[in-house]
Amino acid sequence: IWTVEKDVDNLAESHHIQEAAERLIQNEVVAFPTETVYGLGGNAQSDKAIDRIFQAKGRPSDNPLIVHIAKRDDVKRYVEKTNELGEKLINAFWPGPLTLVFRHNGRLSTKVTAGLDTVGIRMPDHPVALAVIEASGLPIAAPSANTSGRPSPTTAVHVQEDLRGKIAGIVDGGATGVGLESTVVDCTGEEPMILRPGGITKEQLEAVVGKVAVDPSLAEEKEAPRSPGMKYTHYAPKAEMTLVDGSDRFFQEQIDEANRKGLNVGILVPVEKSETFSGMRRKEICGTESDISTVARELYGALRSFDSGEAVDVIFARTVGEAALGQAVMNRLRKAAGNRVLTENELQK
Ligand code: TXA
Ligand code: MG
């Protein structure tokens, strides 16, 4: 672990940054913080480095990686051409939690793009990420730095839990900010399309480019997702999780019912509901309902925490409203719950 202070002026001169960059140049893989989650970085032009990323994560090789750059203009080095739509989004949101999909020009490892003719690129908004990328002088492919399927890491300790001994090092720049991954937007068609909801909301995108489509598979299970990564179960704690959409009484009934079956119950609730329920073995508090960004920031840490300490058999989690960042939060919650949602019907309320 290389610890760095993210707010110092001369970050680029830190030997920890230099050492991490050195390892990247040698085609080794290194984890570092971004504003969304920790990434596991490797040289996007090296098949060997990319193999190491897939191996460390145990990631299916048909799932392409996002390429990270330190300057907006560097996007032109790897894509056939940008377009007006792409330029507008870049100017409005880079650096930031937005990944843009363009047709690539063949200058990256084909393993990064998993053989697709497109590539997802973003410029992260984190001084440590930018310093590492800049010092390496390379395009850096970086998926989230977790074991494939587990919740993404928002601290260096989470990365260690999953990848200790499997990677060259971790640059520890403290906890990440947004807490959920970047929004992935396909810019290759007539109309921009959200392939994965994330840190930049649909409303924010539409304020800049007008109507934005959403990959239909995000709403309906039947369709195959256009973003390969969206088809896998993800972010799930070991205990079976179910989302509960309804009143406090309905939520309490789920706990009571599970107890009657002899199951140990865990609950995941916002701070407003921290004293509302009884009969559970574990309670993880995740953010405050009145500020969805705090729920996003704390979600992965809360999901991870169920996997250590006292084991539970089932977890009940409260749903959140789908406005703004709520869309990304609900997308991750549904995946973590394998799409199990209990909805209270109007008569019960
Ligand atoms: O915030 C983030 O995006 C983090 C940080 C580290 O930057 N990275 C991240 O990477 O979440 P990963 O690999 O965990 O997720 C990448 C997602 C996957 O769902 C993948 O299928 C999709 O982006 N993706 C990558 N390239 C794509 C492409 N060319 N077309 C469609 N989807 C793509
Ligand atoms: Mg991931």
Side-chain angles (χ1 to χ4, degrees):
I1 292 213
W2 302 302
T3 304
V4 295
E5 290 293 329
K6 78 178 167 80
D7 295 319
V8 297
D9 293 335
N10 53 349
L11 198 53
E13 288 148 40
S14 133
H15 358 284
H16 288 151
I17 299 287
Q18 293 299 330
E19 168 134 26
E22 222 18 76
R23 298 301 187 102
L24 289 169
I25 291 164
Q26 289 157 11
N27 297 328
E28 294 190 60
V29 296
V30 169
F32 57 81
T34 78
E35 81 281 31
T36 58
V37 299
Y38 272 72
L40 178 60
N43 177 359
Q45 294 182 308
S46 157
D47 286 353
K48 187 166 167 192
I50 303 310
D51 280 341
R52 285 179 164 150
I53 290 176
F54 279 97
Q55 216 159 41
K57 284 183 56 88
R59 179 177 176 115
S61 61
D62 66 345
N63 190 4
L65 306 182
I66 293 170
V67 174
H68 295 65
I69 56 177
K71 293 193 215 74
R72 285 175 172 176
D73 270 352
D74 283 355
V75 65
K76 303 209 170 83
R77 298 189 183 192
Y78 311 110
V79 307
E80 257 183 11
K81 56 180 188 318
T82 54
N83 47 27
E84 200 189 323
L85 167 67
E87 298 279 347
K88 276 191 190 158
L89 292 172
I90 288 170
N91 289 330
F93 299 110
W94 281 6
L98 179 67
T99 295
L100 299 175
V101 173
F102 295 108
R103 254 175 259 292
H104 65 72
N105 63 10
R107 295 209 186 107
L108 297 165
S109 162
T110 54
K111 299 192 176 200
V112 168
T113 56
L116 299 176
D117 58 6
T118 56
V119 62
I121 301 192
R122 85 177 188 103
M123 177 181 173
D125 186 15
H126 194 291
V128 174
L130 293 172
V132 170
I133 299 164
E134 178 92 61
S136 74
L138 297 167
I140 299 296
S144 49
N146 51 291
T147 299
S148 202
R150 294 206 73 207
S152 301
T154 52
T155 66
V157 170
H158 295 162
V159 180
Q160 257 188 320
E161 284 170 3
D162 285 14
L163 302 180
R164 191 200 300 263
K166 297 181 176 171
I167 63 178
I170 304 170
V171 183
D172 182 352
T176 59
V178 179
L180 299 178
E181 297 84 345
S182 61
T183 304
V184 178
V185 173
D186 185 350
C187 297
T188 62
E190 286 281 292
E191 202 179 36
M193 182 184 277
I194 296 176
L195 305 184
R196 175 178 74 177
I200 298 288
T201 66
K202 182 164 186 275
E203 294 86 339
Q204 285 176 293
L205 295 169
E206 289 189 330
V208 173
V209 293
K211 181 107 186 64
V212 175
V214 178
D215 181 350
S217 76
L218 293 177
E220 273 195 77
E221 272 297 279
K222 299 188 286 286
E223 301 249 354
R226 283 162 226 241
S227 170
M230 298 305 281
K231 68 175 179 272
Y232 299 105
T233 309
H234 220 150
Y235 321 114
K238 287 170 195 142
E240 182 182 280
M241 188 161 99
T242 301
L243 307 186
V244 181
D245 181 7
S247 64
D248 291 347
R249 197 187 69 191
F250 183 68
F251 196 102
Q252 183 64 52
E253 280 166 10
Q254 308 314 314
I255 300 173
D256 297 343
E257 173 81 24
N259 279 328
R260 279 196 291 277
K261 293 181 191 152
L263 300 171
N264 286 336
V265 177
I267 66 170
L268 181 67
V269 293
V271 67
E272 286 88 345
K273 303 290 177 189
S274 60
E275 303 304 328
T276 308
F277 304 110
S278 60
M280 60 279 163
R281 279 293 180 83
R282 298 232 1 216
K283 174 170 70 187
E284 292 297 334
I285 305 299
C286 181
T288 165
E289 232 164 20
S290 61
D291 180 0
I292 188 71
S293 71
T294 62
V295 179
R297 191 174 307 136
E298 295 172 26
L299 180 64
Y300 289 146
L303 290 174
R304 262 178 192 264
S305 62
F306 282 111
D307 289 344
S308 52
E310 191 184 1
V312 291
D313 304 305
V314 291
I315 300 166
F316 295 115
R318 266 178 73 88
T319 55
V320 300
E322 299 217 30
L325 260 186
Q327 193 171 30
V329 170
M330 273 304 288
N331 170 266
R332 305 310 192 269
L333 276 172
R334 277 197 213 96
K335 287 188 160 284
N339 275 310
R340 278 179 296 275
V341 187
L342 291 170
T343 306
E344 183 176 27
N345 66 42
E346 289 304 315
L347 290 174
Q348 283 170 298
K349 270 185 197 166

